Amino acid sequence: MAKQKIIELNGVYKEYDGTLAVENVNLYVRKGEFITFLGPSGCGKTTTLRMIAGFELPTAGQILLNGKDITHLPPHKRPVNTVFQRYALFPHLNVYENIAYGLKLKKLKVTYEDTLGNQIERIENYTKEEIDEKVKKALKMVDLEDFEKRSVTTLSGGQQQRIAIARAIVNEPEILLLDEPLGALDLKMRKDMQLELKEMHKKLGITFIYVTHDQEEALTMSDTVVVMKDGKIQQIGTPQDIYNEPINSFVADFIGESNIFSGTMVGEKKVRFINKVFDCVDDFEKNEKVDVVVRPEDVKIVKEEKGMVGGVISSCIFKGVHYQMTMMVGRSEVVIQSTKGYDVGEKVFIQIAPQDIHIMKKEFVSNVYDGYITKNNTVCFADGEFACDVTQLYEGSSLDEDGYLLLKSGEKIDLSGVDVKVEVGLKDIEIIDNDEDGNACGSIISIVYKGDHYQVIIRTDEDEEDFVCDTEYTWNEQDRVSVRIPKEKIRLTLKQEAKR
Amino acid sequence: MKGAKIIKKEPFITDNKGGGLLKFKRSQLCIPYGLFLSVFVIFPLLLIIYYAFTSKTGTFSLSNFTAFFTEPTNISTLIISIFVSFIVTVICLLISYPVAYILSRLKNSNLAFVLLLLFILPTWLNFVLRAMAMKELLSFIGIPLGSTASIIGLVYDFMPFMIMPLYSTLIKMDKSFEEAASDLGASKVKVFTSVTLPLSKPGIISGVTMVFLPVMSCYVITDTFSGSTGFSLIGKLIAKCFLGENGAPIQINEGAAISLIMLVIMVVTMLLTGGFKNSENARGTNL
């Protein structure tokens, strides 16, 4: 299975006007593999694909093709072809001319042997007959045999899609890049095309690099899935790995339905969440805060005596094959999928097998920032100024009337301009709807539901610092909000000694 | 209602379909334009047709046309007009295309806007004024009045009409076509010749019609620049007939006939270039 690496990205960065679209991407693709870049919009997956195609140059890093550096090679010199999101079929050419476009440009090295036995090399183009044959074969591959003379503007979306694929594969590229190629098709057509593409991949044996935001599509089609978020790779693995062993709560939340709870390790392979201790198979340090992920289909409704924890059904929706129910355990919600539906208000008991409890290190335990003390004895960090208790910096110190800090020893020091490390707990940040009222403002960039609360990330406008907060209230992505932190919840530590 | 407490707020939907004075059908909105059109376009057109097919005495005759086509100087003016229009159009296109292309590919859109404004700004001035200024400039550089000066003047005057449609076609063009071409192995030159150029055809056609036809009937500019040695265009011929310059008699019927011939030439050119087709036409462009 150790096939050779066809493409390799080493420490690739891409910056647009000061913001990083792609950050330190390292990955390789094996020859013949079907690899999918998966992530929400704006995660850098298309940018990464465009760098492989050559439409964008990385700001830093290296792209290797078969071990050779192609980072700065223009697109027309790369043995790579792309199927564009909106197909980009040339409207002034008909179907045949569209497909033949690449073939007509291709140069071949032909070796002749003359009557004296000398070998002569000549650079030639494909002959008309060769092009004809290849175009016909490609059209057959996509099941549009009699469409040669048709104008591309008269084709339906699905047909244009097929022509776009034919136009790319006819050149026999080493790698086929597909940028959300099924995005514009309806659901039924998508499902058919997914299977057809997978079939085509098998038949052609070329490497496919596929970009999508549809997790189901990624899981159905790929050999390997690369999950991306905010320009960074979160996890690379087989669809099974990604689904069963998500590396963090983002991946778990993005791939399929999942219950994400905040838990604490209470002993060897024992984790406590939803107020109950469960056996699990992952081992973490005792007392460590962890995220616990349980897939809804792994939560089994059982008889009372077998149940590990009980709760009340608060909603039940029929989804065709199964019912999706929400059960309240105390203040936590547990999503359950079961073939048998239960009534709202009914008391049920659940069981979760140890191997179905996935434990991952908590991404954010507290927010840490670099800040400095102002002359008013407040602290500036993350685009805002916050009131704080500076006396915590020196034990037993107090403030005098002029704002100087009096140490226990009686020494007087000026704190203004002193660099400090600022730490704020996730639960200590208050989100306020109005952008004026808080100390710093920004917009919400991510929301993950964690059983009984949401974990919201607020990014400030100027410095792009993130506030991660746990809140019970629902917010929407892109909401403009501001944050307030109670004075006593800001923990400060000195990074440098103050002037005495 | 100060001080009163609001009990309920709900959307208010009128069932009144907009009555009163402002009650009219949408089609009635075009009445003002219809009136304008009939008084200032259709009526004069009919008048021209009437004059063209009548003699001075008011009887039906084709003598105005036979007179035009039998007079060698008229024919040569017509040929020169077409030739000069062609030359001016080609020069405009050759200068404008690169300009429009570069402007449309500028990453800094503010810079592109300012540069475009510089090219378009002259059209906001009265063109007689511009022509006079250009004349002064040419004499300052040392280019004498005559055919060359006329062509320079015409190119200067009509260039913005070529740049605008080209620019708007190029800026609207989906970049993924060019990317697809280079992805399929086309070099930069090949991308331009096989994709960008054919796809900008609507802009070229629109630019050409906006330069070629008006140049033929333009006479103020050639008047200003031609001096004693330069050529005169068919527009000048028509003006002479109607205005009777230099003591020549006023010949309304002949003038009407020449106008009608011009009109036919224009319609034929439009048909040939597909200028009447609505699709992909980049005419509707302005700053």
Side-chain angles (χ1 to χ4, degrees):
Chain A
M1 196 49 214
K3 276 189 186 163
Q4 119 204 45
K5 295 173 189 174
I6 188 159
I7 206 145
E8 236 178 303
L9 273 70
N10 295 331
V12 170
Y13 285 80
K14 177 72 194 176
E15 195 181 310
Y16 290 110
D17 303 325
T19 49
L20 279 172
V22 169
E23 202 175 331
N24 195 18
V25 163
N26 290 288
L27 66 90
Y28 63 84
V29 181
R30 286 203 198 86
K31 207 173 166 64
E33 198 172 16
F34 195 128
I35 191 167
T36 302
F37 297 164
L38 174 67
S41 58
C43 72
K45 54 190 192 303
T46 296
T47 310
T48 310
L49 191 84
R50 289 172 60 81
M51 286 192 285
I52 297 173
F55 304 135
E56 310 274 356
L57 291 180
T59 316
Q62 208 183 21
I63 301 172
L64 302 178
L65 180 88
N66 292 324
K68 266 185 281 171
D69 189 350
I70 57 156
T71 316
H72 296 284
L73 212 61
H76 67 273
K77 292 196 176 140
R78 300 188 184 200
V80 167
N81 285 116
T82 309
V83 177
F84 289 83
Q85 197 167 8
R86 276 172 294 134
Y87 321 136
L89 295 174
F90 305 127
H92 60 296
L93 302 178
N94 67 22
V95 168
Y96 181 94
E97 291 162 335
N98 260 285
I99 298 175
Y101 187 91
L103 292 173
K104 284 180 185 161
L105 293 165
K106 213 164 205 166
K107 296 267 183 292
L108 303 166
K109 204 190 249 176
V110 188
T111 314
Y112 290 94
E113 202 180 69
D114 63 11
T115 44
L116 299 169
N118 299 323
Q119 290 201 342
I120 305 161
E121 272 187 3
R122 279 179 58 187
I123 304 292
E124 286 184 5
N125 288 337
Y126 278 121
T127 62
K128 252 201 159 67
E129 292 71 36
E130 282 171 323
I131 292 176
D132 224 45
E133 191 190 321
K134 279 175 189 289
V135 171
K136 287 219 164 80
K137 216 173 114 195
L139 276 170
K140 198 168 171 206
M141 190 92 187
V142 295
D143 279 330
L144 290 174
E145 275 132 310
D146 293 323
F147 280 67
E148 288 168 32
K149 292 283 171 300
R150 288 276 290 273
S151 151
V152 292
T153 46
T154 62
L155 301 180
S156 71
Q159 289 166 340
Q160 289 193 24
Q161 172 63 71
R162 284 156 192 267
I163 299 300
I165 293 168
R167 184 177 70 173
I169 60 173
V170 79
N171 302 297
E172 293 156 13
E174 287 189 48
I175 304 172
L176 186 68
L177 305 177
L178 303 110
D179 184 6
E180 305 212 16
L182 309 182
L185 303 182
D186 61 62
L187 188 69
K188 182 84 179 58
M189 191 94 111
R190 281 178 89 125
K191 300 265 175 219
D192 292 347
M193 279 306 284
Q194 283 173 13
L195 296 178
E196 268 182 58
L197 273 174
K198 186 84 194 134
E199 198 55 36
M200 223 177 267
H201 173 247
K202 257 190 227 151
K203 242 190 263 175
L204 294 168
I206 50 183
T207 313
F208 276 40
I209 303 181
Y210 194 94
V211 161
T212 183
H213 60 262
D214 181 339
Q215 45 100 5
E216 199 192 325
E217 200 166 284
L219 297 182
T220 317
M221 300 169 79
S222 332
D223 300 324
T224 306
V225 178
V226 178
V227 185
M228 294 182 76
K229 181 201 172 196
D230 290 342
K232 283 179 238 159
I233 292 180
Q234 303 290 311
Q235 189 171 8
I236 304 179
T238 63
Q240 290 85 350
D241 284 349
I242 300 265
Y243 190 83
N244 294 328
E245 293 294 332
I247 200 160
N248 56 32
S249 59
F250 169 79
V251 177
D253 191 46
F254 195 73
I255 310 284
E257 296 264 358
S258 44
N259 290 293
I260 305 173
F261 306 105
S262 284
T264 315
M265 298 306 290
V266 290
E268 199 182 318
K269 297 190 180 175
K270 283 194 189 306
V271 62
R272 183 187 171 88
F273 62 97
I274 52 173
N275 287 328
K276 177 87 188 146
V277 177
F278 291 84
D279 285 327
C280 58
V281 289
D282 302 292
D283 206 7
F284 279 82
E285 236 171 86
K286 200 177 162 186
N287 286 336
E288 188 163 334
K289 291 273 181 196
V290 289
D291 278 329
V292 180
V293 172
V294 181
R295 296 288 177 190
E297 66 270 26
D298 293 335
V299 182
K300 303 273 182 311
I301 297 180
V302 291
K303 290 207 182 84
E304 186 171 353
E305 59 270 22
K306 280 189 182 172
M308 297 158 114
V309 62
V312 178
I313 299 288
S314 65
S315 83
C316 178
I317 303 162
F318 180 58
K319 290 252 183 175
V321 188
H322 60 262
Y323 291 89
Q324 179 150 329
M325 289 164 286
T326 313
M327 181 182 87
M328 297 301 295
V329 181
R331 281 171 54 230
S332 297
E333 284 177 13
V334 181
V335 180
I336 308 166
Q337 282 175 3
S338 158
T339 45
K340 186 172 179 297
Y342 290 83
D343 289 330
V344 171
E346 208 170 325
K347 176 132 181 139
V348 293
F349 294 87
I350 55 162
Q351 190 185 43
I352 306 168
Q355 68 270 17
D356 292 332
I357 298 175
H358 308 292
I359 296 181
M360 47 205 71
K361 220 175 153 64
K362 222 176 178 30
E363 266 177 277
F364 306 102
V365 181
S366 68
N367 293 286
V368 180
Y369 307 95
D370 294 324
Y372 62 90
I373 307 288
T374 66
K375 61 175 188 285
N376 303 324
N377 285 326
T378 57
V379 61
C380 266
F381 63 91
D383 281 349
E385 189 179 337
F386 297 84
C388 64
D389 175 20
V390 289
T391 56
Q392 61 179 294
L393 289 169
Y394 290 93
E395 218 189 313
S397 60
S398 59
L399 281 172
D400 72 358
E401 290 139 35
D402 303 323
Y404 291 104
L405 194 71
L406 280 174
L407 297 192
K408 205 159 52 175
S409 58
E411 233 177 320
K412 208 174 178 184
I413 54 171
D414 181 9
L415 282 173
S416 66
V418 171
D419 286 331
V420 287
K421 193 176 103 180
V422 185
E423 216 179 319
V424 185
L426 305 188
K427 289 192 179 123
D428 299 335
I429 299 175
E430 190 190 343
I431 309 176
I432 306 165
D433 216 342
N434 191 332
D435 14 328
E436 308 287 305
D437 291 351
N439 300 72
C441 59
S443 24
I444 292 179
I445 57 160
S446 129
I447 301 160
V448 177
Y449 187 61
K450 300 227 172 174
D452 62 344
H453 66 272
Y454 294 92
Q455 188 162 82
V456 175
I457 302 178
I458 299 157
R459 182 162 290 174
T460 62
D461 308 321
E462 270 167 55
D463 293 350
E464 300 207 333
E465 292 268 18
D466 290 343
F467 285 103
V468 182
C469 10
D470 286 346
T471 171
E472 286 169 29
Y473 304 106
T474 323
W475 297 88
N476 292 317
E477 262 178 58
Q478 313 297 342
D479 272 356
R480 294 275 315 155
V481 294
S482 62
V483 297
R484 191 150 57 191
I485 306 168
K487 191 175 171 182
E488 61 281 3
K489 299 290 189 191
I490 297 179
R491 292 190 294 280
L492 303 170
T493 31
L494 278 179
K495 278 169 66 182
Q496 68 179 74
E497 283 295 308
K499 285 192 289 278
R500 307 229 164 177
Chain B
M1 294 296 281
K2 244 183 195 165
K5 204 174 139 196
I6 296 169
I7 299 167
K8 203 175 172 190
K9 250 187 191 178
E10 55 184 16
F12 174 67
I13 301 157
T14 48
D15 48 2
N16 179 356
K17 285 174 189 157
L21 271 175
L22 287 170
K23 195 171 182 177
F24 49 74
K25 284 187 206 146
R26 204 185 297 180
S27 60
Q28 286 167 322
L29 283 173
C30 63
I31 287 176
Y33 179 67
L35 281 174
F36 184 88
L37 194 74
S38 40
V39 173
F40 294 105
V41 179
I42 296 176
F43 176 67
L45 206 61
L46 291 174
L47 218 56
I48 285 178
I49 294 172
Y50 169 76
Y51 277 120
F53 287 101
T54 50
S55 67
K56 264 202 182 78
T57 53
T59 52
F60 176 80
S61 101
L62 291 173
S63 61
N64 300 320
F65 293 94
T66 48
F68 178 81
F69 284 111
T70 47
E71 174 64 47
T73 53
N74 287 343
I75 301 292
S76 70
T77 307
L78 184 65
I79 291 170
I80 286 173
S81 295
I82 292 173
F83 181 70
V84 167
S85 283
F86 179 76
I87 295 285
V88 169
T89 309
V90 168
I91 295 174
C92 274
L93 187 62
L94 289 180
I95 298 175
S96 304
Y97 203 101
V99 170
Y101 184 80
I102 291 165
L103 285 182
S104 69
R105 294 296 180 273
L106 276 182
K107 287 222 172 71
N108 183 343
S109 60
N110 288 332
L111 180 68
F113 179 76
V114 170
L115 287 176
L116 191 67
L117 207 61
L118 282 180
F119 284 103
I120 303 306
L121 210 57
T123 57
W124 298 355
L125 293 175
N126 182 294
F127 83 108
V128 180
L129 207 66
R130 264 184 294 145
M132 300 309 277
M134 191 66 178
K135 188 178 165 187
E136 291 306 313
L137 194 67
L138 288 183
S139 73
F140 178 75
I141 303 171
I143 296 174
L145 293 181
S147 307
T148 319
S150 289
I151 288 185
I152 293 175
L154 287 165
V155 167
Y156 164 73
D157 211 62
F158 284 96
M159 186 113 78
F161 299 101
M162 188 64 102
I163 293 181
M164 268 325 282
L166 285 175
Y167 174 77
S168 73
T169 314
L170 287 168
I171 196 105
K172 271 190 272 171
M173 194 184 292
D174 193 343
K175 302 277 176 299
S176 63
F177 292 131
E178 288 172 355
E179 281 178 357
S182 85
D183 185 72
L184 291 166
S187 62
K188 274 193 173 151
V189 177
K190 188 75 193 166
V191 169
F192 180 79
T193 55
S194 69
V195 175
T196 316
L197 198 60
L199 286 182
S200 60
K201 212 172 97 190
I204 296 175
I205 288 176
S206 167
V208 165
T209 31
M210 283 170 91
V211 173
F212 186 80
L213 300 174
V215 165
M216 261 204 283
S217 56
C218 171
Y219 78 96
V220 174
I221 291 175
T222 40
D223 248 17
T224 315
F225 288 98
S226 59
S228 53
T229 56
F231 52 79
S232 65
L233 300 179
I234 201 155
K236 175 73 182 163
L237 214 59
I238 299 171
K240 230 196 266 174
C241 288
F242 281 107
L243 303 174
E245 264 175 47
N246 304 331
I250 293 177
Q251 298 166 298
I252 291 179
N253 303 79
E254 282 83 346
I258 304 171
S259 302
L260 212 57
I261 291 165
M262 278 288 292
L263 204 65
V264 170
I265 294 174
M266 284 187 190
V267 170
V268 169
T269 341
M270 291 281 264
L271 285 176
L272 287 180
T273 54
F276 283 128
K277 268 191 234 149
N278 273 329
S279 62
E280 301 173 89
N281 201 331
R283 191 83 55 88
T285 53
N286 36 44
L287 207 67

